[in-house]
Amino acid sequence: MLIRSLTLATLLAFAGTLFAADGDSPLDMDKGRARPLIVIAPSTVDPTWVSLKKALDDPANRKGFDDRNMVLYSVLNLMGQREGKDLGPQDTAALIRSLKLGAGPKTKVILVGKDGEKKLEQSDAVDLQAIFKTIDELPATEKEATAPTPPPVTEPVPAKGAKATKPAKPTKPAKPPEMPDD
């Protein structure tokens, strides 16, 4: 009986972490819409983070960042943010878990494509222009991976020689049913 209980507990603990890892990452909401750029640094004064933040303050770089549909995620001192807005501890942990990173004291910069796959991973200094170049070299299918839009609706053209008709008037809404007197 004890062995069965331990086996069941182990199985549930293992399966629970696998199920929790699926679909709870903040990156899932950006899939098909934006390219997340994730910076994981041990502190807020990390030179890689400071240089990237300074580069993004330049209007030309910021325009390039926005034109490429990029979103900035940062995890500094285990505190996560998306575009400057705080993520909860569970979302931060899910973000780190979804990237499948090994532990290490170095700063990591990861570019994720619209398809959800890692496109670039660096551990040292970040060159924003190199990141832009990587995005520009992506295949056209990844660049255009966006939510599908419905085709425009066109009105049919009457056949040649046919008499043109006026469009029908909209009908009046039906009267609501009257309540019976009791």
Side-chain angles (χ1 to χ4, degrees):
M1 183 68 178
L2 178 64
I3 293 174
R4 287 183 186 166
S5 297
L6 289 175
T7 304
L8 181 62
T10 305
L11 180 62
L12 288 175
F14 181 71
T17 56
L18 287 178
F19 288 129
D22 290 341
D24 64 348
S25 172
L27 296 178
D28 291 340
M29 71 178 188
D30 290 321
K31 199 176 223 180
R33 296 182 189 166
R35 293 179 183 88
L37 180 67
I38 302 116
V39 180
I40 301 175
S43 72
T44 57
V45 294
D46 184 75
T48 303
W49 168 247
V50 171
S51 68
L52 179 65
K53 196 72 169 153
K54 188 176 180 181
L56 285 174
D57 287 339
D58 178 32
N61 287 338
R62 191 61 179 171
K63 183 178 180 333
F65 192 83
D66 293 336
D67 288 347
R68 290 171 177 86
N69 295 330
M70 296 176 72
V71 176
L72 181 64
Y73 283 89
S74 61
V75 180
L76 310 169
N77 289 333
L78 298 177
M79 299 296 295
Q81 289 188 338
R82 180 186 187 273
E83 292 292 315
K85 295 179 182 170
D86 291 337
L87 296 174
Q90 292 88 1
D91 289 336
T92 302
L95 173 67
I96 294 170
R97 197 172 44 242
S98 70
L99 295 171
K100 298 175 183 150
L101 298 174
K106 286 190 171 185
T107 301
K108 295 190 187 260
V109 178
I110 300 142
L111 174 67
V112 177
K114 286 184 177 180
D115 58 357
E117 300 293 321
K118 286 184 190 177
K119 303 298 179 188
L120 177 72
E121 185 172 346
Q122 294 179 340
S123 294
D124 293 326
V126 176
D127 180 21
L128 203 52
Q129 297 306 318
I131 293 172
F132 290 165
K133 183 179 176 191
T134 301
I135 292 172
D136 294 340
E137 291 174 352
L138 290 174
T141 55
E142 202 281 335
K143 286 181 185 176
E144 297 170 359
T146 58
T149 57
V153 178
T154 57
E155 294 187 23
V157 178
K160 195 173 188 179
K163 188 175 180 182
T165 59
K166 293 195 318 188
K169 289 184 179 179
T171 60
K172 291 183 181 179
K175 251 176 139 176
E178 293 182 18
M179 297 299 292
D181 292 333
D182 286 333

